[in-house]
Amino acid sequence: MSNSLRDQLLGLGFKSAPKPPTPAKPAPRAHPQTPAKAAAGKPSRDGKPRHDRNVKPQGGDIDLAKAFAIRAQKEKDERIEAERIKQEEARLRREARAKLEAFLKDKALNASDADHVRHFDYGGKIKRIHVNAEQLKALNAGLLGVVQQNGRYLLVTAEVLEQVEAIFSQAVALKVDPNAPAADDPYSDPQYQVPDDLVW
């Protein structure tokens, strides 16, 4: 169709044909992002980049390893503290024993003519000490007591026994309460005593 005919048609009121729309350029494809990366690229409310805020490592391996490390450190600290307490208790025991040894010097009443045996329970085992007749009566009456020192059993007065208890209570081997029923101390019963006429 010539331009003149086109002009004539336009002059008669015909409109020109609409131009076909130009195709829009496709939007660039966004790479898929993890939620952590997507959050990292957005600014926070205070306007600062969020590249290291609330970013959790992928998977729980790092968190689990951190938890194990914290637990291991805690257990190590507990072992060190327990060992420290153990060593401190051992030091205090050594000091108490040394003080007790100095205190008990020349205070033992063990008699050379002891011909009676007094049994007693100490440390979960049955122990014995040799006493004479008068000491046996005083021991059962609570006027005397028994102290363990370096594997030996020393007979002491009730007053000394009280001071020993204050210094190192674990050394008190036998302390008789005269007001306690006889059943509390079965070895005070006469049937456990050595008869006077027994020949060794």
Side-chain angles (χ1 to χ4, degrees):
M1 185 180 293
S2 65
N3 285 336
S4 59
L5 180 58
R6 183 173 175 266
D7 293 337
Q8 290 175 10
L9 289 174
L10 288 173
L12 293 173
F14 289 98
K15 295 181 179 178
S16 62
K19 293 181 180 179
T22 56
K25 291 184 179 179
R29 288 184 61 186
H31 294 289
Q33 293 181 339
T34 61
K37 288 183 180 178
K42 296 179 181 178
S44 63
R45 291 181 182 176
D46 56 8
K48 295 180 181 178
R50 301 174 58 172
H51 56 275
D52 60 350
R53 293 180 56 189
N54 301 324
V55 178
K56 295 184 179 178
Q58 292 184 3
D61 293 342
I62 296 177
D63 287 343
L64 190 60
K66 186 177 180 182
F68 274 120
I70 291 171
R71 181 178 175 184
Q73 183 63 39
K74 184 179 178 183
E75 289 176 352
K76 181 181 177 183
D77 293 343
E78 288 174 353
R79 283 195 304 270
I80 291 171
E81 179 64 14
E83 184 62 27
R84 186 193 68 76
I85 292 171
K86 185 178 177 181
Q87 290 178 358
E88 179 66 14
E89 288 175 349
R91 183 186 67 80
L92 292 174
R93 279 196 302 271
R94 285 193 302 270
E95 290 178 359
R97 284 195 181 106
K99 186 176 179 181
L100 181 65
E101 188 171 357
F103 172 73
L104 287 174
K105 190 175 181 181
D106 302 327
K107 289 186 172 66
L109 303 175
N110 297 59
S112 58
D113 62 339
D115 53 358
H116 290 71
V117 176
R118 175 64 160 87
H119 292 88
F120 56 93
D121 180 19
Y122 179 65
K125 296 182 180 179
I126 303 303
K127 303 296 181 179
R128 65 182 182 177
I129 187 170
H130 290 85
V131 294
N132 59 34
E134 290 181 3
Q135 289 173 336
L136 180 60
K137 290 177 182 178
L139 190 57
N140 290 334
L143 302 175
L144 297 177
V146 180
V147 176
Q148 189 271 348
Q149 183 189 26
N150 299 327
R152 294 181 60 224
Y153 294 98
L154 308 179
L155 194 67
V156 297
T157 65
E159 292 78 14
V160 170
L161 192 67
E162 286 183 12
Q163 295 179 60
V164 168
E165 196 169 16
I167 296 170
F168 188 51
S169 61
Q170 295 175 7
V172 176
L174 176 61
K175 182 180 181 181
V176 177
D177 181 1
N179 299 319
D184 289 355
D185 185 14
Y187 296 104
S188 64
D189 192 291
Q191 67 175 328
Y192 293 103
Q193 308 310 320
V194 178
D196 293 338
D197 58 351
L198 180 66
V199 178
W200 291 91

